[in-house]
Amino acid sequence: MADRESGVPQREGDTPPAGGEATEVARASVRGTGRRLHGAIAHKLGTAIVSGEYAPGDTLSGEVAFSEALDVSRSAYREAMQVLAAKGLVESRPKAGTRVLPRERWNLLDPDVLAWAFAGAPDIQFVRALFELRAIVEPAAAGLAAQRRDRNDLKAMKDALAAMRRHTLATEPGRAADKEFHNAVLRATRNDALMVLSASIGAAIHWTTQFKQRARALPRNPIPDHVRVHDMIAAGDVVGATAAMRTLVDLALEDTKSAMEG
C-alpha cells in the first residue's frame, strides 16, 4: 500500500503502485526523455500537485523516503524540490518538512506549470481563466500592434501564418508557428511589460490547442481568424485589430469547451 498522506509506498505487499510509477519515471529519464533526472522528478510531482493528487497543505514525504521510493539520489530529489519551490508549488521548512502551498501562491503562468496542468484532464475553471486572461491582454495588444508595428513585425506574422498553413495546427511545427504569430503581435506593441507575457501566453495557446485535438480533429480551421488579425494590424486599423483578436480568442474558447465536453 501507499501512504495516503505522503504518497510514498509502504514496504509491505507485492508491488506498490506508487513506487512502480515512480521507478518508471526514473527509468524513462534514463532512457532519454530529454529531461535531466531532477526534471523528471519535478514533472511527476508537479503534475501530481496541479492535478489535485496532493492537496494544498499536504506534506510530501521526506527526502530519504522519497529518494528510496524513486530509486534516485537525494541530491536529485532536492533539486526537484527547488524547482517546485521556485514555481510557488511547495515550501520546505526545517522539521516541518515540505508542504504543498495554497493555489494562489502557484505561478500558474509558468510554462512548466501550464504543461503540468494539461498533462491530464485540465480543470475547466482554470482553462476559462486562461482564456479570460487572453481576452483581456491580446485584443488590446493587437490594437497597439496596429499602431506601432513595423515591416519586420508584419513579416514575422506572415511567416508564421505561412508555416501554420504548411504544417497545420495538428502538428508540433504548426503549433510552434501559432505561438510565434501571437509572440509577434506582442512584440509589435513595443511594450516591454506585455512582451514579458509572451512565454506564458504562448504556452497557454500551445497546450490548449494540443488539448483540443486529443480525441478528435479541430472542429474548424482557426487560421483564417489569424489572417484577419494580421490584415487589420497591417492596415493600421486599431478597432479592427482589437475586434479580430477578440473574436479569435472567443472562438478558441468555444472550441476548447467543445473538446472538453466531447
Side-chain angles (χ1 to χ4, degrees):
M1 292 181 58
D3 184 318
R4 186 75 184 115
E5 182 179 9
S6 68
V8 175
Q10 299 295 324
R11 293 304 177 190
E12 299 126 32
D14 295 327
T15 348
E21 292 170 5
T23 304
E24 187 59 31
V25 170
R27 286 174 183 160
S29 66
V30 172
R31 284 197 297 266
T33 61
R35 284 194 191 94
R36 292 174 61 187
L37 183 56
H38 77 267
I41 301 168
H43 175 83
K44 173 184 170 60
L45 288 174
T47 301
I49 291 169
V50 175
S51 70
E53 185 179 334
Y54 293 109
D58 281 357
T59 300
L60 300 181
S61 54
E63 180 180 305
V64 174
F66 212 112
S67 300
E68 289 178 356
L70 286 171
D71 192 24
V72 297
S73 69
R74 292 169 64 179
S75 63
Y77 174 75
R78 283 195 298 270
E79 288 178 16
M81 288 300 103
Q82 289 170 3
V83 170
L84 297 181
K87 298 178 190 300
L89 270 62
V90 302
E91 180 180 65
S92 298
R93 292 184 177 177
K95 298 184 180 179
T98 301
R99 66 183 181 89
V100 179
L101 290 173
R103 189 179 177 89
E104 58 265 25
R105 297 276 300 276
W106 301 354
N107 184 357
L108 289 170
L109 294 181
D110 181 277
D112 286 335
V113 177
L114 285 169
W116 299 336
F118 282 89
D123 175 49
I124 183 61
Q125 291 183 335
F126 178 56
V127 172
R128 186 178 292 112
L130 288 176
F131 277 99
E132 286 175 352
L133 172 68
R134 290 186 59 192
I136 291 167
V137 172
E138 289 196 275
L144 286 174
Q147 292 177 291
R148 303 172 180 175
R149 85 286 182 277
D150 63 20
R151 187 176 302 173
N152 291 332
D153 298 318
L154 295 176
K155 183 181 185 304
M157 292 177 212
K158 287 189 74 172
D159 289 348
L161 287 171
M164 289 165 69
R165 291 191 188 97
R166 184 167 61 252
H167 299 292
T168 81
L169 295 183
T171 68
E172 190 64 32
R175 289 190 291 271
D178 183 17
K179 179 178 177 181
E180 174 54 29
F181 177 87
H182 290 268
N183 285 349
V185 173
L186 289 173
R187 287 196 302 271
T189 66
R190 303 291 182 268
N191 182 308
D192 290 343
L194 281 174
M195 284 188 273
V196 166
L197 293 175
S198 62
S200 300
I201 295 289
I205 292 166
H206 173 87
W207 290 110
T208 52
T209 302
Q210 187 179 70
F211 171 77
K212 284 183 282 190
Q213 300 174 82
R214 282 186 180 178
R216 59 189 178 190
L218 286 171
R220 59 183 189 83
N221 180 9
I223 295 177
D225 303 328
H226 292 72
V227 172
R228 280 190 286 275
V229 171
H230 164 269
D231 290 348
M232 293 297 101
I233 291 174
D237 186 337
V238 175
V239 174
T242 301
M245 183 64 87
R246 183 174 294 113
T247 297
L248 186 157
V249 174
D250 288 346
L251 289 174
L253 174 58
E254 290 306 312
D255 291 344
T256 305
K257 283 181 177 177
S258 175
M260 295 185 82
E261 293 165 0

